[in-house]
Amino acid sequence: MLKVPVHQVAGHRASDGNLGPLVDDSGRFYKPLQGDERGSNEVAFYSSFSSNTKIPDHIRRFFPVFHGTQLLEASDGSGLCPHLVLQDLVSSCVNPSIMDIKIGASTWPPQASEDYIAKCLKKDREGTSIQLGFRISGFQIYGNKESGFWKADKQFIKSFSTEDVRLVLRKFVSSNASADLDSDPDCAFASVVYGGSSGILAQLLELKAWFEDQTIFHFYSCSVLVMYEKELTVEGRSSGAAVKLVDFAHVVEGVGVIDHNFLGGLCSLIKFISEILTTPYEYPSKTCPHDTEKNRLCSDNSAME
Amino acid sequence: MLKVPVHQVAGHRASDGNLGPLVDDSGRFYKPLQGDERGSNEVAFYSSFSSNTKIPDHIRRFFPVFHGTQLLEASDGSGLCPHLVLQDLVSSCVNPSIMDIKIGASTWPPQASEDYIAKCLKKDREGTSIQLGFRISGFQIYGNKESGFWKADKQFIKSFSTEDVRLVLRKFVSSNASADLDSDPDCAFASVVYGGSSGILAQLLELKAWFEDQTIFHFYSCSVLVMYEKELTVEGRSSGAAVKLVDFAHVVEGVGVIDHNFLGGLCSLIKFISEILTTPYEYPSKTCPHDTEKNRLCSDNSAME
């Protein structure tokens, strides 16, 4: 029985008769091949990556396992359509908090068409990609049994500023995350999710070391998925913090050159997350966030000087 | 007495009545302020950088010392014009080999005008910037007393491919460098110039560590100058290998974000130079470079299989 993935946070969704990915109960994720070269490109990447003996095992675990392709009834009812058969990265999760972060200042490969470059460049400039070297493409943050997930709207995310990104990366590991961008996140889970020897930061640093050296692939428009389970964290169990790479429709050959575009963006994300660990209770967008009395005193003081 | 710098390898030259930088005998370099915002921007950068107490001393040494500005007779005879007064980085050199490498896939700051972005993007795509994260802007390689310098032509450099860049980075540290792109460089000075605890690679890695952390400035369109003295190297003395940063007309504030664009390009350059150190006698563009006999045998062998 195939169904629409519950925990998808970005990309086309297979609901309401649209074309999108499906999952089954055995932990597989079926992604319809996009009809143009993007589909064949992603298959080519997974085939090449799977068989490449130069990929170390500790790097391979960041990628979904590839099980080939399969003809399946498309979710939009358009008939049989080839699908990538991949590992469902969240099949064992109950209520995962997930963030999809598209890495790289540029999302277009150098050899792309003029039209495609212009389209991507516009998006890269409108979003935070050019400024930060990455942009948030989607997320869901689990609150609790009553509130469920905060799943942000696409248009809302598209309008994110640098400070919004900083705030959402804090909310992602907070016990009091809410959709209100003015509320102050407590970063209660920062040290267990982002920190530690198996936390998100450690995993990103492992990826970074590989990207400083590898010249096999350039990962344009690829996303880092960051995920963990808040309930496990609250119970004091391992948070299940994981970093995964997804979306390889625009991967090109590295031809002996490192992927400086991905690496630069990855280093920028690493810096954002490091800062949350070193200054968990800083509120960069406001000077006196909690205390309006203090705020007034600040003004009084400066008026008296 | 002001004169035209002998060892300038990129940028506008103050010869034949053109506007360009001048040097004096006391080790100072006078750079005319460009009339538009680039001039004031570069002054603003040097002022801000000089007085910023957060710049560590081991990083400060990568930058020319700034001595303020001064009104001077312009080299093009247009009258008095404000000049930046800087340290002349090569005043103590006799016959320096120098390479000017513009770092970053993008040479345009995000907040630049549409016209400027379009102009830069075109150059970044035509050169190697987008592909490699850097491009060679100019160089001079010292041969010997008879041959003097190989100073490459601007148009020739503009047409460089990835393989040309790889080759020139090898020729730069070779005893047999020549203008012939088909000749094989011996990389005789690679280990003393690029390698070692005070070599180019070590210096670039020091810069890299700073760029992974600093969020004060974004260095768009800035160059790394790489230099050494071949004669000293041949004599077995310290090669004088040095890395310097120059050209700050397009530096913008970092506002809490790392310069992922510069960092990515720097890491790419580091990889190129590391490869020369680990495989000094590899010839990536050809399989059997020296031995045509061997070349023929290769073909024969494959025909026999």
Side-chain angles (χ1 to χ4, degrees):
Chain A
M1 265 303 294
L2 298 179
K3 48 191 186 186
V4 176
V6 183
H7 301 305
Q8 192 185 338
V9 299
H12 306 284
R13 282 188 60 79
S15 47
D16 309 322
N18 294 315
L19 185 63
L22 299 165
V23 290
D24 67 14
D25 287 334
S26 74
R28 296 199 169 187
F29 183 91
Y30 302 86
K31 182 175 179 178
L33 292 191
Q34 284 157 304
D36 52 21
E37 57 187 2
R38 286 177 294 177
S40 52
N41 212 21
E42 192 157 20
V43 174
F45 168 75
Y46 272 110
S47 305
S48 163
F49 183 84
S50 303
S51 60
N52 192 316
T53 54
K54 287 184 181 161
I55 313 291
D57 285 343
H58 74 278
I59 292 302
R60 203 172 281 286
R61 72 186 170 96
F62 288 115
F63 292 77
V65 179
F66 173 57
H67 300 287
T69 59
Q70 196 175 316
L71 276 177
L72 285 180
E73 195 66 43
S75 63
D76 62 354
S78 62
L80 281 179
C81 152
H83 287 63
L84 281 162
V85 187
L86 303 169
Q87 172 193 10
D88 179 3
L89 298 170
V90 294
S91 64
S92 61
C93 298
V94 182
N95 289 311
S97 293
I98 308 178
M99 194 161 342
D100 181 303
I101 307 171
K102 201 184 273 273
I103 306 289
S106 295
T107 57
W108 46 276
Q111 49 276 78
S113 72
E114 291 302 318
D115 282 357
Y116 187 76
I117 292 177
K119 206 178 95 181
C120 289
L121 185 60
K122 186 167 181 288
K123 280 191 204 170
D124 296 346
R125 292 177 62 194
E126 285 170 354
T128 63
S129 296
I130 296 283
Q131 193 70 46
L132 306 187
F134 66 87
R135 65 175 180 251
I136 295 177
S137 296
F139 62 86
Q140 64 177 26
I141 302 180
Y142 186 70
N144 53 46
K145 276 196 186 102
E146 289 71 44
S147 66
F149 287 99
W150 171 31
K151 214 160 180 164
D153 172 74
K154 237 185 211 177
Q155 288 308 317
F156 173 67
I157 293 176
K158 271 189 187 168
S159 70
F160 273 7
S161 68
T162 299
E163 286 317 314
D164 294 336
V165 168
R166 213 183 284 277
L167 191 62
V168 166
L169 287 170
R170 287 174 178 267
K171 281 178 180 276
F172 187 67
V173 290
S174 290
S175 70
N176 63 343
S178 81
D180 177 6
L181 283 185
D182 281 330
S183 78
D184 297 320
D186 59 16
C187 297
F189 311 125
S191 60
V192 288
V193 175
Y194 288 156
S197 61
S198 62
I200 299 296
L201 182 61
Q203 295 184 48
L204 292 175
L205 288 170
E206 231 177 312
L207 257 188
K208 176 194 166 210
W210 185 61
F211 271 93
E212 285 173 342
D213 189 56
Q214 76 88 14
T215 62
I216 313 169
F217 300 112
H218 286 190
F219 293 89
Y220 289 99
S221 206
C222 163
S223 284
V224 154
L225 280 189
V226 172
M227 57 183 91
Y228 78 103
E229 291 233 47
K230 189 173 283 186
E231 285 162 315
L232 297 179
T233 311
V234 170
E235 291 165 15
R237 293 159 65 190
S238 163
S239 67
V243 168
K244 299 287 178 182
L245 291 182
V246 295
D247 295 341
F248 308 107
H250 302 284
V251 173
V252 297
E253 285 185 22
V255 288
V257 178
I258 66 160
D259 188 352
H260 52 85
N261 178 62
F262 190 99
L263 177 59
L266 186 62
C267 289
S268 177
L269 176 63
I270 284 169
K271 174 71 174 173
F272 271 76
I273 289 179
S274 304
E275 280 180 346
I276 296 173
L277 284 166
T278 49
T279 57
Y281 295 102
E282 197 191 321
Y283 302 93
S285 57
K286 290 174 284 180
T287 42
C288 306
H290 283 294
D291 198 341
T292 49
E293 182 64 23
K294 197 170 152 210
N295 245 326
R296 226 174 301 129
L297 285 175
C298 293
S299 317
D300 286 351
N301 279 344
S302 61
M304 282 165 68
E305 277 165 11
Chain B
M1 266 303 293
L2 298 179
K3 47 192 186 189
V4 177
V6 182
H7 302 304
Q8 192 185 338
V9 299
H12 306 285
R13 282 187 61 79
S15 46
D16 308 323
N18 294 315
L19 185 62
L22 299 165
V23 291
D24 66 15
D25 288 332
S26 74
R28 297 199 168 186
F29 183 90
Y30 301 87
K31 183 176 177 177
L33 292 191
Q34 285 158 304
D36 53 20
E37 58 186 1
R38 286 177 294 176
S40 52
N41 213 19
E42 192 157 20
V43 175
F45 167 75
Y46 272 110
S47 307
S48 163
F49 183 84
S50 303
S51 60
N52 193 316
T53 53
K54 287 183 181 161
I55 314 291
D57 285 342
H58 73 280
I59 294 302
R60 204 173 280 285
R61 73 186 171 96
F62 289 116
F63 292 78
V65 178
F66 173 56
H67 300 288
T69 60
Q70 195 175 318
L71 276 178
L72 286 180
E73 196 67 41
S75 63
D76 62 354
S78 62
L80 282 178
C81 153
H83 287 63
L84 281 162
V85 187
L86 303 169
Q87 174 192 9
D88 180 2
L89 298 169
V90 293
S91 63
S92 61
C93 298
V94 182
N95 288 310
S97 293
I98 308 178
M99 194 163 340
D100 180 303
I101 307 171
K102 203 184 270 275
I103 306 289
S106 296
T107 57
W108 46 276
Q111 48 276 76
S113 71
E114 291 302 319
D115 281 357
Y116 188 76
I117 292 177
K119 206 178 93 181
C120 290
L121 184 60
K122 187 168 179 288
K123 280 192 204 169
D124 296 346
R125 292 177 63 196
E126 285 170 353
T128 63
S129 297
I130 296 283
Q131 193 69 46
L132 306 187
F134 65 88
R135 65 175 179 252
I136 294 178
S137 295
F139 63 85
Q140 65 176 27
I141 303 180
Y142 185 69
N144 53 46
K145 275 194 187 109
E146 287 71 43
S147 66
F149 287 100
W150 171 31
K151 213 159 180 165
D153 173 75
K154 237 184 210 177
Q155 288 309 317
F156 173 68
I157 293 176
K158 272 190 185 166
S159 70
F160 273 6
S161 68
T162 299
E163 287 316 314
D164 294 336
V165 168
R166 214 184 283 278
L167 191 61
V168 166
L169 287 170
R170 287 173 178 269
K171 281 179 181 276
F172 187 67
V173 291
S174 290
S175 68
N176 62 344
S178 79
D180 178 6
L181 283 185
D182 280 331
S183 78
D184 297 321
D186 60 16
C187 296
F189 312 124
S191 60
V192 288
V193 174
Y194 288 156
S197 61
S198 62
I200 299 296
L201 182 61
Q203 295 184 46
L204 292 175
L205 288 170
E206 231 177 312
L207 258 188
K208 177 192 168 214
W210 185 61
F211 271 94
E212 285 174 343
D213 189 56
Q214 76 87 13
T215 62
I216 313 168
F217 301 112
H218 285 190
F219 293 89
Y220 288 99
S221 205
C222 163
S223 284
V224 155
L225 280 190
V226 172
M227 57 183 92
Y228 79 103
E229 292 230 49
K230 190 173 282 186
E231 285 162 317
L232 297 179
T233 312
V234 171
E235 290 165 17
R237 293 159 66 191
S238 163
S239 68
V243 168
K244 299 287 177 181
L245 291 180
V246 296
D247 295 342
F248 307 108
H250 301 284
V251 172
V252 296
E253 283 186 22
V255 289
V257 178
I258 66 161
D259 188 352
H260 51 84
N261 178 62
F262 190 99
L263 177 59
L266 186 63
C267 290
S268 177
L269 176 62
I270 284 169
K271 175 70 175 172
F272 271 76
I273 290 181
S274 304
E275 280 180 345
I276 297 174
L277 284 166
T278 49
T279 58
Y281 296 101
E282 198 190 323
Y283 303 93
S285 55
K286 293 173 281 179
T287 43
C288 306
H290 284 294
D291 198 340
T292 50
E293 181 64 22
K294 197 170 152 209
N295 244 328
R296 225 175 300 127
L297 284 175
C298 292
S299 317
D300 287 350
N301 279 344
S302 60
M304 282 164 69
E305 276 166 10

